[in-house]
Amino acid sequence: MIFVPVAVVVQGNKLFSHLGQETASVGVVVLKDILPLALIPPIFLYVGSTLSGWEIGAEDPIHLSKNIVLLVSLCYFVALFAGFIGLAVLLRWMAPTYDASLELSRHLTVVATVATPMVIGSLAHLYPHIFVNMLVIIPALIWSMFLLYRGVPVLLDTTPQQGMLMASSLIAIVLVATVTLLGVTVVLWTHGFGPSLGL
């Protein structure tokens, strides 16, 4: 799955068509694709945070204890895994509106394919500097959106117009969920439910 985004640039919709014809079960897709994609960024985060600490601006790097970084990484994994599964279920729920396939395994494949550039971009966690991470994540996000708009009509067996509307709806939902998650995180952190950063 990790090479799918690169191959799409070369092969176009043929690769998506091939993925759509695969008959993997939901469990296989979750174990083979979703689980590794949810594991990789937290591992990079743990390694980068413990080795070099987080750099925010010109101040000295922020170093947290290994136990705190491990807890943050575990929460990161749970959030990613739940988010990937949740997005696939949400896509499946929207499918009848857009005359798309109802097979959950196909929706999981869409999520795994679209998430792959972001997971590749999480390599930036190995050097946790806010500016470096933004430079890497923004192109990865654009790459993911390209794959979403190209992949939804083919993988979910719907028209390009319906696929575009479905992909746009998913982006809107993800944006709302991201802002909500950031808000909840800030509120919890300011009320003492997070590690002290010493700022």
Side-chain angles (χ1 to χ4, degrees), residues 52-63 127-131 189 197 199:
S52 57
W54 272 92
E55 292 184 40
I56 302 172
E59 298 179 12
D60 292 335
I62 298 168
H63 290 279
Y127 180 64
H129 188 289
I130 194 82
F131 183 68
W189 213 310
L197 299 180
L199 296 175

Side-chain angles (χ1 to χ4, degrees), residues 11-132:
Q11 298 181 22
N13 287 350
K14 289 181 184 176
L15 187 67
F16 282 128
S17 298
H18 173 70
L19 286 172
Q21 291 167 2
E22 289 183 356
T23 55
S25 67
V26 170
V28 169
V29 177
V30 169
L31 288 175
K32 225 177 89 178
D33 299 329
I34 300 294
L35 189 60
L37 291 174
L39 271 173
I40 292 170
I43 290 171
F44 289 157
L45 176 73
Y46 180 81
V47 172
S49 298
T50 53
L51 292 182
S52 57
W54 272 92
E55 292 184 40
I56 302 172
E59 298 179 12
D60 292 335
I62 298 168
H63 290 279
L64 301 172
S65 70
K66 287 188 177 181
N67 288 340
I68 294 294
V69 174
L70 181 62
L71 182 61
V72 169
S73 298
L74 285 173
C75 290
Y76 189 13
F77 164 73
V78 170
L80 283 176
F81 187 76
F84 291 158
I85 300 294
L87 282 177
V89 170
L90 189 63
L91 269 174
R92 165 64 181 76
W93 175 74
M94 290 193 302
T97 305
Y98 300 100
D99 297 323
S101 169
L102 298 177
E103 292 177 46
L104 184 57
S105 60
R106 283 188 176 216
H107 296 276
L108 286 164
T109 301
V110 168
V111 170
T113 304
V114 170
T116 300
M118 297 296 288
V119 172
I120 293 170
S122 72
L123 273 166
H125 289 343
L126 292 173
Y127 180 64
H129 188 289
I130 194 82
F131 183 68
V132 172

Side-chain angles (χ1 to χ4, degrees), residues 34 42 48 54 65 68 77 125 140-141 143 150 152 154 158 165 168 172 179 182 188 191 193 199:
I34 300 294
W54 272 92
S65 70
I68 294 294
F77 164 73
H125 289 343
L141 183 60
W143 191 5
R150 284 287 292 273
V152 164
V154 181
T158 188
L165 291 172
S168 299
V179 171
L182 286 173
L188 289 176
H191 284 83
F193 290 96
L199 296 175

